[in-house]
Amino acid sequence: MGARLQIEIGLTVDGAERRLLVDTRSTLLDALRDRLGVTSPKKGCDHGQCGSCTVLLDGRRHLTCLTLAAAADGREVVTAAGIGPDHGRGGLHPVQQAFLRHDALQCGYCTPGQVCSAVGMLAEAAAEEVTLDDAEIRERMSGNLCRCGAYVNILAALRDVARSEGTG
Amino acid sequence: MREFAYEAVTDPEGAVALVAADPDACFLAGGTNLVDHLKLGVASPRRVVDVSRLPLASIVAGDDGVRIGANARNSDVALHPRVQADLTVLSRALLAGASPQIRNQATTAGNLLQRTRCVYFQDVTTACNKRAPGSGCSAREGYGHHNAVLGGSESCVAVYPGDMAVALTALDATVVVLGPDGERRVPVEELHRLPGDRPDRDTTLAHGELIVGVEVPWLPDGSRSAYHKVRDRAAFAFALASVAGVLRLDGGAVTELRLAWGGVAHKPWRARQAEEALIGRPLDEASVHAAVDLELAAAAAGPANAYKLALLRNVTWLVLRDLAGEGAR
Amino acid sequence: MSSVGSPLLRVDGQQKVTGEATYTMDHHTADPLHGWLVQSTVAKGRVTAVHADRALEHGGVVSVIDHTNAPRLADTDDLELAVLQGDRVRFRGQVVACVLAETPEAARHGAELVRVEYDEEAADVAFREAAATLRPDELDPDNDADTMQGDVEAALADAAHVVDQTYRTPFEHNNPMEPHATLAHWHGDPDSDEGHVLTVCTSTQSVHGVAASLARILGIDAGKIRVVASYVGGGFGSKGLPHCHDAVAVLAARTTGGRPVKLAVTRQQMFALTGYRTATIQRVRLGADQDGRLTAIDHRSLEQTSTSKQFVEESALVTRSMYAAGSRRTSHRVALLDVAVPSWMRAPGEMPGAYALESAMDELAVVLGIDPVELRIRNDTQTDPESGKPFSSRRLVECLRLGAERFGWSRRDARPGASRDGDWLVGLGMAAASYPANVFPGNRATVRALEPGRFVVEIGAVDIGTGAWTVLGQIAAAALGAEPDDVEMRIGDTSYPKASVAGGSSGTASWGTAITSAVAAFRKEHGDDPHPGDETTADAERSSDLEHYATHSYGAHFVEARVHRLTGEVRVPRMLGVFSAGRVVNPVTARSQFIGAMTMGLSAALLEESWRDPRYGHVVTQDLATYHVAAHADVRDLEAVWLDEDDFRVTPMGARGIGEIGIVGSPAAVANAVHHATGIRIRDLPITPDKLLARFDG
Ligand SMILES: Cc1cc2nc3c(=O)[nH]c(=O)nc-3n(C[C@H](O)[C@H](O)[C@H](O)COP(=O)(O)OP(=O)(O)OC[C@H]3O[C@@H](n4cnc5c(N)ncnc54)[C@H](O)[C@@H]3O)c2cc1C
Ligand code: FES
Ligand code: FES
């Protein structure tokens, strides 16, 4: 393997600085999971079609399965494991608490992606100054499939959070 | 996925030089289409040139129109205040595409150049002239739900799947392209091509040409625009068919009309015959149907995709009816 | 039984919302090799050569295992699991090799570089009516292909009203969100070592089932295999039985000198390798008297199965006990095709079957001019029509009445197409549902005392998202007279006592019974003041009533559908399910099961279809962008409620199963609502815009 086929990158993952050598073919999702042991983002389809691998990348919700690790050099990744206060060490994010209260999950496989996506959505709505009514939440969360069919509970959870944040 | 060298470039000319010189090289932007294809084996470059960090992400509203940088993200374009207010069709088309996550990472250039979603194109174990020239077309006699009804050829019935380009076609936008010999401007209508006997070529761009931006003129005074997309799922699905429309009525008669259809051909389909038939006439359901039928005279559909003809007829009416109604308000 | 019935939140919720829950591929293993499957590109024939040289030259690739060099299995009767044992190809997509490499990237590319040559034979892959001639009981003698009571033809000839229609359902794929994956590690020699020699982490609905299957094919004692599934990202039947990738991983790991093998099935590969629901063609004939009482029911289902393994979808089963009628017949016929192996998918049989039956009932209501709710009430029965047994409890009529009341059914104008809102045609539809209350044999549990008042309860059950972990803890706590917090519930590992599959809506009932029995045995042995370390393991005591009663859960679905008159798009703004499912142990997780299954029913009604290309033999809509499952925007106001009841004839907790009833009948309710909105009856699922557009006038 020639040197150009591997590349050294730096990432901030849930608050921690990480440096690693990656295969240029490696996706950010595989680099996080297989190389850094960060398994909070899940692989549901590996082709951008389910949302399970969603993280916040430089603050915006993003699919890690369609991002080359090499292209993510220097970026900040926040996963559901580090989305709570103090990079997750200080407890759960309000979205996570609402998910628990409303049983907005079953198998839990789509859930870390749903949580990151929801946090991203709340920030987007605040920036756009739109009110998150039910229809808006459903549409804006449609990039995250849930085969267990927890949607109505996810909606209830996010309605709660949006209201308490003043965006709903 | 074959091994490739990865290079992130910092100036557009350098990017063009790298790719133009190497037939096995390609550009990478948001990656939402290219990385997909790398995994499927649909694309197997030896060199990937990452252009996503080029300073081409600005969206500048000027007197004549808006200039959108190649790297402007789909979500940023859709939510730009002037785009939302004055180029409704573009904002709506973008927001009807993909998912919020994908829109956050997909770029304007990458979106324009996304490739067909034909199931055979994506499955390297099947015949597909677009992916493997000369291997045959599996879609003609196969899964035909999405097949083209307009402009298809013996060798390919794939459709261009994107939404944004359909809106840009109705907006008479221009794509700004940088090549080894400098910049050129391509009307968006001439960017994508019909398959003919070269379905492997999606566009009229030469290898190594870099899209640097898109120029969208403002609509003439009094015109309104809209986008309507019909899909199998309520969200996060490609169009079965879509209609982008620009309309102005004066005294009940059509004085400005632009119609572009998505999901029905190898390129966004500008329905010029339908436009001409309606210009100067009052708008009603029968005349819209007649105009659409004129455009569809050359259509070819089988049992699996004939529904698209009905959709085009109905949705074109729906869009124009609603635009006319808004104008009246 | 205080904690039974209380709305306890999921015990594993925190791990799931942070992503810290460890699904199979999340397990850290030292120094693994990564596997990648190579699939056949012909549907039938023989592998004549596997050229691995280019793959082996690729950096990081360690080996390529094919039928010539794979370790031999002891038992190859199950052709789905007998992977890499011979050159025969029985379906397109079958595994013909596996690449092992140091990284997943290298393994994937290595798999692309393996070149396989075939001697291809003509394959039969298209499911056609005419080919479905085989009686399934010739394949599986336990299964009654046909039933017949009275003279159906004569009764139909005499009937005042007859409905005779054919309904079609498509191939469907379970598509749990977590793709199937297996991690296999041989750490001992089966011939000499004691204890576990093989540890398998796999995404399964049954750890003991996987251990038993692997033991059989490997020819070793199941006690030497440890199977772990701590978290499972859904299964919906597709993880009920081990599939070929489990066997591949175990075989591949045999060749690595003790290095573990991680093998993930891709989403695309799942469409060929991990089971699916067969398509069906069902003819239903109903005869009724003037008052709408059924005199004849005839339900015949044509299906297909694979030459590799004969799974039969028993679609007419639901009709055997749903309504009373003097003359009745059900039958199944299958075509044997060179295709991927079909298997369980949520409510196998009942789901497509109830779509056909409940659509036909709606058609009959229209013919008779009787309200569809009333028609079902008139045909209710308190004795199982086929076996003559009484039902342990059958409260279908109450479900129907409660649902009608809550949904505002009485305001429905019976005429189809009467209600319109702008471009949207609005309709209301309903359907009834039933699903057998299964209590599976072969369950045992262990109870152990910790410090005073605290206990550990162990059973080799699996929580695939049902909430079993939480619910079993509640059942154990109630039986022990302890608080749920004082019981540590351990599941998901064959180190714990034998348990049946998380499937057939049997989990809570079967495992809960074992736990209840084990607690009783523990108390008998150790009294009310046990010493720390006191322990009892006991088998589930099966209720003798199960033999004397017909046991089913029931439900009624109500749906509002809106159909766009110009685009053919269907939206479902309201959906209500009312269920009678025995005692609900935990209303929080139970409601999630009901609404989840209803969501899947809605998804099947409007979206799901796997399209098999008859020329190639595989499904070409093989990803989540072309095989649509419901997205968030498809699901609006959807609610589930249930009757407050218990059924102690089925289980000591009074519970029956709840996991599947929500998907039974819900597709028919959607189809019936679409008919009410438009006057158009779509008799083949899914109900997509193209089909409606083709039927619109003009
Ligand atoms: C599940 C899914 C659903 C989707 N649904 C929709 C939908 O409903 N509607 C829709 O419109 N789209 C949809 N998309 C497609 C999506 O919009 C495109 O993938 C995206 O816009 C591509 O942009 P990108 O920046 O990620 O491109 P990339 O993947 O980076 O690149 C795409 C192509 O453009 C080339 N390229 C990139 N930048 C340049 C440049 N500056 N000059 C020249 N060539 C360049 C690349 O070489 C590559 O060939 C969907 C995608 C997915 C994965
Ligand atoms: S794994 Fe990334 S979207 Fe499915
Ligand atoms: S909780 Fe299982 S897929 Fe969403």
Side-chain angles (χ1 to χ4, degrees):
Chain A
M1 260 196 247
R4 321 174 297 158
L5 304 177
Q6 299 226 323
I7 190 161
E8 193 183 329
I9 61 167
L11 296 169
T12 307
V13 183
D14 293 332
E17 306 280 339
R18 312 290 292 262
R19 288 211 74 77
L20 66 160
L21 195 64
V22 293
D23 189 314
T24 52
R25 294 172 293 185
S26 178
T27 60
L28 179 56
L29 178 61
D30 287 343
L32 287 168
R33 293 178 50 84
D34 294 332
R35 304 295 313 288
L36 297 179
V38 177
T39 56
S40 174
K42 308 294 181 216
K43 185 184 288 186
C45 70
D46 214 15
H47 288 273
Q49 302 165 356
C50 75
S52 302
C53 65
T54 306
V55 301
L56 297 178
L57 190 71
D58 289 348
R60 297 175 82 167
R61 47 182 169 159
H62 208 93
L63 300 179
T64 51
C65 71
L66 291 184
T67 306
L68 290 184
D73 183 27
R75 308 229 176 192
E76 189 196 4
V77 175
V78 175
T79 74
I83 212 162
D86 192 17
H87 305 299
R89 287 185 292 269
L92 298 178
H93 188 281
V95 164
Q96 292 171 316
Q97 292 170 9
F99 265 56
L100 292 181
R101 275 199 312 279
H102 290 276
D103 204 42
L105 55 110
Q106 293 180 40
C107 78
Y109 197 77
C110 72
T111 312
Q114 301 274 4
V115 165
C116 290
S117 190
V119 173
M121 171 190 73
L122 292 164
E124 288 163 15
E128 292 167 41
E129 298 180 6
V130 298
T131 304
L132 288 173
D133 61 16
D134 288 359
E136 281 287 343
I137 294 173
R138 290 188 188 109
E139 168 65 30
R140 287 166 183 259
M141 287 301 292
S142 279
N144 293 82
L145 301 180
C146 175
R147 186 57 160 160
C148 293
Y151 297 126
V152 292
N153 289 354
I154 294 172
L155 177 76
L158 298 180
R159 196 193 275 145
D160 249 25
V161 183
R163 276 199 197 128
S164 66
E165 289 197 353
T167 47
Chain B
M1 204 192 294
R2 176 155 102 169
E3 287 174 310
F4 54 80
Y6 167 90
E7 276 148 291
V9 286
T10 48
D11 70 304
E13 289 75 16
V16 171
L18 270 176
V19 174
D22 181 352
D24 275 334
C26 72
F27 298 120
L28 168 75
T32 60
N33 200 221
L34 184 67
V35 176
D36 192 353
H37 287 166
L38 293 173
K39 293 186 205 186
L40 293 171
V42 168
S44 43
R46 288 263 179 228
R47 182 201 295 261
V48 169
V49 176
D50 185 351
V51 296
S52 67
R53 293 178 193 229
L54 293 178
L56 297 172
S58 62
I59 306 167
V60 181
D63 291 344
D64 302 331
V66 58
R67 179 170 166 131
I68 301 165
N71 280 340
R73 305 288 154 163
N74 292 175
S75 45
D76 294 334
V77 177
L79 298 173
H80 188 277
R82 285 296 304 275
V83 173
Q84 272 191 311
D86 300 321
L87 301 172
T88 317
V89 62
L90 177 57
S91 177
R92 291 285 157 77
L94 282 163
L95 293 176
S99 69
Q101 290 96 313
I102 293 174
R103 297 196 292 269
N104 277 344
Q105 59 199 92
T107 63
T108 303
N111 189 316
L112 276 173
L113 297 182
Q114 64 177 292
R115 308 201 66 190
T116 186
R117 307 299 292 201
C118 176
V119 294
Y120 302 101
F121 175 72
Q122 298 184 78
D123 180 348
V124 297
T125 70
T126 63
C128 167
N129 287 322
K130 181 181 273 299
R131 175 173 37 74
S135 61
C137 172
S138 299
R140 286 195 76 87
E141 308 291 329
Y143 179 65
H145 190 55
H146 288 276
N147 286 357
V149 293
L150 285 162
S153 71
E154 266 307 305
S155 61
C156 184
V157 286
V159 299
Y160 173 76
D163 293 296
M164 180 189 72
V166 181
L168 292 176
T169 300
L171 290 169
D172 283 331
T174 303
V175 181
V176 185
V177 178
L178 181 70
D181 304 324
E183 259 185 31
R184 66 183 183 104
R185 291 182 144 59
V186 185
V188 76
E189 207 183 332
E190 289 164 25
L191 178 68
H192 295 96
R193 50 186 296 284
L194 289 180
D197 56 4
R198 288 298 305 276
D200 54 313
R201 294 190 55 205
D202 291 353
T203 69
T204 55
L205 296 184
H207 180 74
E209 281 192 308
L210 179 78
I211 295 179
V212 292
V214 177
E215 294 170 350
V216 191
W218 300 125
L219 291 178
D221 275 352
S223 297
R224 289 160 197 283
S225 68
Y227 189 73
H228 196 104
K229 172 178 180 179
V230 179
R231 39 194 162 178
D232 275 331
R233 184 160 70 182
F236 201 14
F238 286 93
L240 297 173
S242 67
V243 175
V246 172
L247 177 74
R248 187 178 63 201
L249 290 173
D250 280 314
V254 177
T255 54
E256 167 87 28
L257 175 64
R258 296 184 228 152
L259 281 172
W261 292 339
V264 293
H266 197 257
K267 58 183 290 188
W269 190 267
R270 183 74 185 258
R272 290 200 184 267
Q273 293 181 67
E275 291 174 9
E276 272 162 36
L278 288 166
I279 284 284
R281 311 217 10 215
L283 207 62
D284 58 58
E285 189 164 0
S287 59
V288 171
H289 282 176
V292 170
D293 287 344
L294 205 64
E295 187 81 40
L296 290 178
N305 60 351
Y307 73 92
K308 290 192 177 189
L309 305 179
L311 263 188
L312 286 174
R313 206 174 278 133
N314 293 352
V315 179
T316 303
W317 163 241
L318 177 79
V319 164
L320 294 180
R321 180 197 71 185
D322 290 356
L323 279 174
E326 267 177 50
R329 248 176 262 138
Chain C
M1 289 175 92
S2 61
S3 68
V4 162
S6 62
L8 212 68
L9 296 181
R10 262 169 223 275
V11 294
D12 49 356
Q14 174 135 347
Q15 283 73 24
K16 287 177 172 176
V17 296
T18 55
E20 276 152 8
T22 43
Y23 302 85
T24 295
M25 290 299 281
D26 300 339
H27 284 283
H28 177 76
T29 17
D31 200 25
L33 283 172
H34 300 267
W36 205 279
L37 301 174
V38 179
Q39 297 174 274
S40 78
T41 54
V42 302
K44 189 176 181 183
R46 289 181 185 283
V47 174
T48 53
V50 178
H51 301 286
D53 36 331
R54 284 184 58 217
L56 290 168
E57 281 163 19
H58 184 70
V61 172
V62 172
S63 65
V64 176
I65 302 166
D66 61 30
H67 68 281
T68 64
N69 61 1
R72 295 298 102 185
L73 290 170
D75 180 331
T76 55
D77 285 351
D78 182 334
L79 293 175
E80 185 188 13
L81 296 183
V83 278
L84 306 177
Q85 300 298 298
D87 59 0
R88 252 281 146 225
V89 174
R90 292 185 178 80
F91 65 93
R92 188 177 164 110
Q94 180 183 317
V95 173
V96 291
C98 175
V99 175
L100 291 182
E102 297 291 345
T103 65
E105 291 84 10
R108 170 177 218 146
H109 189 51
E112 288 165 11
L113 294 174
V114 173
R115 202 164 52 79
V116 184
E117 287 180 52
Y118 304 91
D119 192 353
E120 189 174 358
E121 296 164 25
D124 190 3
V125 301
F127 172 37
R128 284 169 288 107
E129 234 171 304
T133 54
L134 211 69
R135 276 179 68 114
D137 40 13
E138 289 166 24
L139 303 171
D140 170 9
D142 293 341
N143 164 332
D144 268 338
D146 296 0
T147 56
M148 170 83 103
Q149 279 170 314
D151 186 340
V152 169
E153 296 303 334
L156 282 169
D158 289 347
H161 298 281
V162 173
V163 164
D164 177 359
Q165 292 295 350
T166 299
Y167 305 89
R168 285 160 210 270
T169 61
F171 295 106
E172 293 169 348
H173 278 77
N174 314 53
N175 276 313
M177 223 59 239
E178 182 204 12
H180 299 63
T182 307
L183 204 160
H185 186 195
W186 289 90
H187 36 75
D189 177 353
D191 294 330
S192 50
D193 291 356
E194 296 290 311
H196 299 141
V197 295
L198 169 66
T199 299
V200 177
C201 255
T202 183
S203 190
T204 181
Q205 297 170 226
S206 174
V207 283
H208 284 284
V210 170
S213 295
L214 291 179
R216 195 182 63 246
I217 62 171
L218 292 167
I220 65 176
D221 190 59
K224 292 198 182 290
I225 308 175
R226 179 176 174 206
V227 178
V228 179
S230 23
Y231 289 90
V232 177
F236 315 112
S238 74
K239 296 173 182 170
L241 297 164
H243 294 293
C244 68
H245 65 282
D246 288 308
V248 175
V250 164
L251 282 183
R254 200 87 184 99
T255 68
T256 60
R259 287 180 74 181
V261 167
K262 276 187 139 173
L263 178 69
V265 182
T266 67
R267 180 62 59 182
Q268 285 83 349
Q269 289 169 345
M270 286 168 70
F271 282 81
L273 299 178
T274 59
Y276 62 98
R277 194 196 300 281
T278 179
T280 69
I281 303 171
Q282 303 176 60
R283 182 169 174 199
V284 180
R285 293 191 296 168
L286 301 177
D289 66 17
Q290 286 299 353
D291 301 329
R293 291 209 169 69
L294 290 168
T295 53
I297 306 179
D298 183 22
H299 186 168
R300 286 180 277 174
S301 184
L302 305 180
E303 300 159 2
Q304 59 103 68
T305 189
S306 71
T307 52
S308 325
K309 196 168 181 169
Q310 287 84 45
F311 172 81
V312 177
E313 184 96 10
E314 295 173 289
S315 300
L317 218 61
V318 65
T319 300
R320 292 181 184 169
S321 73
M322 196 69 197
Y323 299 113
S327 299
R328 33 202 317 127
R329 170 165 68 192
T330 62
S331 89
H332 301 85
R333 292 293 180 273
V334 291
L336 212 52
L337 302 179
D338 305 310
V339 297
V341 182
S343 188
W344 295 325
M345 179 161 164
R346 205 170 200 169
E350 281 79 8
M351 187 277 190
Y355 161 67
L357 176 65
E358 290 298 302
S359 293
M361 285 295 279
D362 202 62
E363 303 212 38
L364 182 63
V366 172
V367 169
L368 289 160
I370 296 182
D371 181 87
V373 174
E374 176 58 27
L375 179 66
R376 278 137 178 120
I377 292 174
R378 278 188 206 172
N379 287 289
D380 187 45
T381 168
Q382 288 300 317
T383 351
D384 180 24
E386 201 138 288
S387 65
K389 289 180 189 173
F391 289 101
S392 64
S393 155
R394 172 165 163 138
R395 298 173 68 188
L396 172 61
V397 170
E398 281 161 83
C399 293
L400 290 163
R401 293 219 159 100
L402 181 63
E405 185 194 315
R406 292 183 67 130
F407 204 68
W409 185 258
S410 62
R411 292 193 296 276
R412 175 180 184 262
D413 182 333
R415 293 167 303 157
S419 171
R420 193 168 146 179
D421 176 10
D423 287 329
W424 294 93
L425 310 172
V426 185
L428 303 184
M430 57 77 55
S434 94
Y435 191 81
N438 292 316
V439 184
F440 290 153
N443 285 278
R444 49 202 276 122
T446 296
V447 179
R448 187 162 52 248
L450 299 170
E451 69 272 21
R454 289 189 46 80
F455 303 88
V456 169
V457 177
E458 297 172 341
I459 182 165
V462 183
D463 188 337
I464 56 173
T466 56
W469 207 337
T470 312
V471 165
L472 294 182
Q474 286 176 269
I475 291 172
L480 284 160
E483 290 302 314
D485 276 352
D486 290 327
V487 178
E488 186 189 331
M489 191 68 227
R490 296 184 184 162
I491 59 169
D493 192 326
T494 51
S495 306
Y496 309 136
K498 203 137 188 203
S500 52
V501 64
S505 297
S506 69
T508 303
S510 311
W511 309 327
T513 302
I515 289 170
T516 312
S517 302
V519 169
F522 175 88
R523 288 296 186 207
K524 207 163 164 189
E525 194 177 338
H526 304 292
D528 287 342
D529 285 312
H531 300 291
D534 284 351
E535 172 181 315
T536 302
T537 300
D539 289 324
E541 263 178 59
R542 202 175 155 78
S543 159
S544 58
D545 285 341
L546 287 169
E547 319 313 322
H548 307 303
Y549 292 91
T551 59
H552 296 263
S553 285
Y554 289 91
H557 294 279
F558 292 82
V559 166
E560 176 181 333
R562 296 163 77 87
V563 181
H564 196 286
R565 68 177 187 90
L566 295 174
T567 66
E569 290 163 298
V570 181
R571 299 286 182 263
V572 173
R574 286 197 303 144
M575 197 162 171
L576 170 71
V578 181
F579 301 100
S580 158
R583 182 89 182 255
V584 163
V585 179
N586 181 330
V588 173
T589 55
R591 178 170 170 276
S592 286
Q593 283 285 287
F594 288 134
I595 61 175
M598 288 166 65
T599 300
M600 208 180 256
L602 172 65
S603 183
L606 299 182
L607 304 168
E608 296 183 33
E609 174 167 22
S610 308
W611 202 87
R612 180 189 294 156
D613 191 311
R615 303 159 304 172
Y616 292 112
H618 70 302
V619 168
V620 294
T621 53
Q622 51 190 330
D623 62 19
L624 293 174
T626 52
Y627 183 93
H628 284 150
V629 303
H632 202 138
D634 293 289
V635 182
R636 303 200 184 170
D637 180 2
L638 186 154
E639 192 49 279
V641 297
W642 50 86
L643 307 182
D644 188 12
E645 62 179 0
D646 43 48
D647 189 344
F648 293 113
R649 290 184 174 125
V650 176
T651 63
M653 301 80 67
R656 292 193 298 255
I658 57 174
E660 277 149 305
I661 183 94
I663 198 177
V664 182
S666 41
V670 174
N672 296 340
V674 167
H675 173 263
H676 185 239
T678 59
I680 297 169
R681 181 76 63 184
I682 301 292
R683 296 191 184 87
D684 58 330
L685 294 182
I687 305 169
T688 42
D690 54 335
K691 292 178 188 167
L692 283 161
L693 281 165
R695 302 270 299 274
F696 285 165
D697 302 329

